[in-house]
Amino acid sequence: MTLKVAILARRAELSQWQVESLNIASRYLDVALYLVAPDKASQTPEFQHMAYRLLTAFSLNNRLTRRATFAMPMEALQELSLESGKDGLRLPFLVVDALIARGITAIINFGPSIEPPAGLDVIAYASPGSIYYGGGAAGFEEMRAGAQCAEIRVEKHSANTPVAAVLAHCYSRVYHHSYMRTASDYQHNAMLLLKPAMERLVVGDCLTTVESCPRTEIPGNLAVMAFVFRMGHRYLRRLLYGALVEKRWNVIIAEFSGFVGLDNLSITRGRVPVLGKSHSFYADPFFSHDGQKIRLEALNKHNGVGEILELDVDSLEPSEAYLTGWHYSYPFSFCENGREYLLPEVSSHSEPYVIAAPFTEGAEVIPLEGFDGRRVLDGTLFIHDGYHYIFGGLDGSAESCLYLYYSQALTGPYRAHPKNPIVIDPRLARMGGRIQVVDGQIYRFGQNNSRGYGDGLTVCEIVSLSPDDYRERIVGSVGFVDACGPHTVDISNGRMVMDFYTDTFSLFAGYRRLSARILRQLRGRKPNVGGGCRIL
């Protein structure tokens, strides 16, 4: 089912993220008209808003904000002038009558805010920012207020209705040291939101109703100058942190007695291994299927890339690293038909694959069909109702977006879930460990990257999982009171293993970060499945 719609914009071209949002949602849209209505008020170069104009000109210039043309016949392009209405601008009555006569039922508004006309719904993005909402471009007020995330909504506005129907919503990360990164993440996530909004609109559904947001007010020069000063201060602090502070990651094994109290953990209540001489940290721990070993990522001191090794659960003594040569991490393990497999993260050099036990030289490497060149981060397999589901992020958006793939066989072919991305929220999107089933309930751990990478987990209960549907709800969190983390957790036989980090002063911190990055770039990215897999 499709909806016959018109697009309202300020100019004949849209931003790239707006064009891509329409293309992603195209199966639900029959775009009949493209209406151009310049917002003359926003074009007035008032002196009191000059600083804001300069800020957006320098900060909001990226691939997603560049102008792009939405493919439509020239005769579908019409210019018009908005009129003054009761509470703002409105479409002329003759234009409204013409739209209705053509069978158009809704207007997708990328232009000036307008009053919803009788007989037509107005579909528009909204950035309420909770109590922080005060106007300006994406993320401005959230950065000023120190918020961790920016909320993004797609709303349906109808005439004579004081509330808006929320068709879809998500969150984007606020980078307090960079307005450019904040806006770019916002635009990327907003681009993905129109499709689920249209899915609900065609069936007459919505998530909830809310009061309509007020018309945005452009910040004044003093507010912008204070904003730039605070952002510059945070950027300088970030540079100093990167140059002089190291994150010392390690793992801890402790008793597990339930989900209560997981947000109040301490690194003094468990056993922590001593790092091997060749490695600078341990992270991403998982139990082996028999629970006798812990497999984890160990960062090689000499080349700055991750290797996979094992710790004995009782002695915490390490084995020799047995996945080396490229960057390996997140050694997720599972058992099927009595045989154990590894699904390590290999996004630096390959599409996902599994390795069959025994994990020795010459081990069987099995490609997974259907990923078509996609590099999956933190891939986590879960078998449910006869289907193999792989949860994971994609390169470039893993901290905010979670994708799901399914197949009836372990080796595939895997298909992308129709609800992808199934989560758009930096507080819980990236996978943070094995999916657990407790008392018949399914729980997923998601990394909370809204405050920074790796500082805690969000616990979500999966309430619906099938090839057609995915839904979850937040039920808790996992965190330490005397350290940062975890960003990976695994539970087995009444024990849990997690990673954590502490900040340590080091004059060589910046050198190590820079050299590791250079080494990874020099290695490049090979487009082969299983390429570079080296098992010692």
Side-chain angles (χ1 to χ4, degrees), residues 15-88:
S15 295
Q16 183 66 44
W17 75 265
Q18 295 168 337
V19 172
E20 292 189 22
S21 70
L22 292 168
N23 291 334
I24 293 171
S26 61
R27 63 177 296 187
Y28 301 105
L29 300 176
D30 175 13
V31 181
L33 278 175
Y34 187 105
L35 305 175
V36 179
D39 185 0
K40 296 178 180 179
S42 68
Q43 297 174 352
T44 306
E46 307 97 333
F47 175 77
Q48 63 267 32
H49 300 142
M50 190 63 66
Y52 181 73
R53 305 292 187 196
L54 292 173
L55 175 67
T56 56
F58 284 103
S59 299
L60 304 186
N61 183 18
N62 58 61
R63 183 187 71 85
L64 292 176
T65 58
R66 291 171 189 157
R67 295 186 183 183
T69 302
F70 182 67
M72 288 194 67
M74 285 300 298
E75 58 269 20
L77 182 66
Q78 295 188 14
E79 294 189 11
L80 56 88
S81 295
L82 298 176
E83 299 177 349
S84 296
K86 180 180 178 182
D87 298 313

Side-chain angles (χ1 to χ4, degrees), residues 371 374-377 392-399 401-403 405:
F371 286 93
R374 298 183 186 96
R375 306 291 178 91
V376 177
L377 282 73
L394 297 182
D395 196 11
S397 64
E399 290 191 14
C401 300
L402 177 63
Y403 289 80
Y405 302 88

